[in-house]
Amino acid sequence: MANTQGPQGNYDPAGSTQMFRAFVDDAPPPAQQQATSSGPRVGLIIGIVVAVVVVAAVAWLALG
């Protein structure tokens, strides 16, 4: 029978301490998170500009 030991040697039946440590160790550094956070914002702005151009072109064709 295998017993999972916590950081102070306390019994951890679910092994949640090891799963938590694995999750925390796999997290990317904060510098990478800031670099990727501006990406979706730029895509959203470009999408809005393209949508406005398409609506203007359709209105120009419909009214012209």
Side-chain angles (χ1 to χ4, degrees):
M1 179 185 229
N3 292 338
T4 304
Q5 297 291 324
Q8 286 79 29
N10 298 330
Y11 177 66
D12 187 6
S16 59
T17 302
Q18 291 177 347
M19 289 186 283
F20 176 74
R21 284 185 177 174
F23 174 75
V24 170
D25 291 342
D26 288 345
Q32 290 179 356
Q33 290 177 350
Q34 289 177 349
T36 58
S37 66
S38 63
R41 205 175 307 158
V42 171
L44 179 65
I45 292 171
I46 292 173
I48 291 173
V49 169
V50 168
V52 169
V53 169
V54 168
V55 168
V58 169
W60 180 69
L61 289 173
L63 298 175

